[in-house]
């Protein structure tokens, strides 16, 4: 199986990333870091992490760091299937792991 996920950057721009079912978070981070940023500098995959941001109670947001072996396409499909809808109620965000601390 194949599909895509939309990964947002902290400035709320995004890239659509093509994936296979067995693609991991580490694969996504490496793919995104190969793309040269606006600054002309490539990010170091070791310093990046992928998180999921979801709405929580009281109009706040919940952030969950994904493990490098997690499978984003499977997470997306499981989330859509659990609600019986194709609407995704979270977003993937790539962030610098040092900035997240």
């Amino acid at each position: 199986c194949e599909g895509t996920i939309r990964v947002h950057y902290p400035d709320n721009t995004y890239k659509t990333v093509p994936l296979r079912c067995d693609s991991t978070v580490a694969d996504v981070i490496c793919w995104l870091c190969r793309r040269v940023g606006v600054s002309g500098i490539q990010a170091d995959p070791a310093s990046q992490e992928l998180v999921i941001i979801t709405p929580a109670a009281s109009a706040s947001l919940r952030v969950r760091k994904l493990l490098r072996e997690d499978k984003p396409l499977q997470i997306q499909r499981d989330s859509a299937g659990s609600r019986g809808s194709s609407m995704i109620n979270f977003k993937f965000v790539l962030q610098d792991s040092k900035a997240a601390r």
Side-chain angles (χ1 to χ4, degrees), residues 28-39:
V28 171
I29 291 171
C30 286
W31 189 88
L32 290 166
C33 288
R34 280 198 308 260
R35 306 293 187 249
V36 176
V38 174
S39 64

Side-chain angles (χ1 to χ4, degrees), residues 25 49-54 61-67 70-71 75 90-93 95:
V25 166
E49 62 187 18
L50 195 61
V51 299
I52 292 178
I53 298 178
T54 57
L61 296 174
R62 186 171 21 142
V63 177
R64 183 179 132 220
K65 179 183 172 188
L66 297 176
L67 301 174
D70 285 339
K71 296 183 169 97
I75 292 168
F90 63 82
K91 68 181 183 179
F92 292 104
V93 178
Q95 63 184 19

Side-chain angles (χ1 to χ4, degrees), residues 5-80:
I5 63 168
R6 185 178 286 182
V7 179
H8 294 261
Y9 294 99
D11 66 0
N12 213 28
T13 59
Y14 66 88
K15 284 280 187 191
T16 301
V17 182
L19 298 175
R20 295 182 320 269
C21 281
D22 62 345
S23 298
T24 63
V25 166
D27 297 330
V28 171
I29 291 171
C30 286
W31 189 88
L32 290 166
C33 288
R34 280 198 308 260
R35 306 293 187 249
V36 176
V38 174
S39 64
I41 300 171
Q42 283 184 309
D44 176 15
S47 70
Q48 302 297 307
E49 62 187 18
L50 195 61
V51 299
I52 292 178
I53 298 178
T54 57
S58 315
S60 63
L61 296 174
R62 186 171 21 142
V63 177
R64 183 179 132 220
K65 179 183 172 188
L66 297 176
L67 301 174
R68 297 252 172 193
E69 61 270 11
D70 285 339
K71 296 183 169 97
L73 191 57
Q74 190 63 46
I75 292 168
Q76 179 173 282
R77 289 183 179 190
D78 288 350
S79 174

Side-chain angles (χ1 to χ4, degrees), residues 83-94:
R83 287 189 314 282
S85 144
S86 61
M87 191 168 113
I88 304 301
N89 201 21
F90 63 82
K91 68 181 183 179
F92 292 104
V93 178
L94 182 73

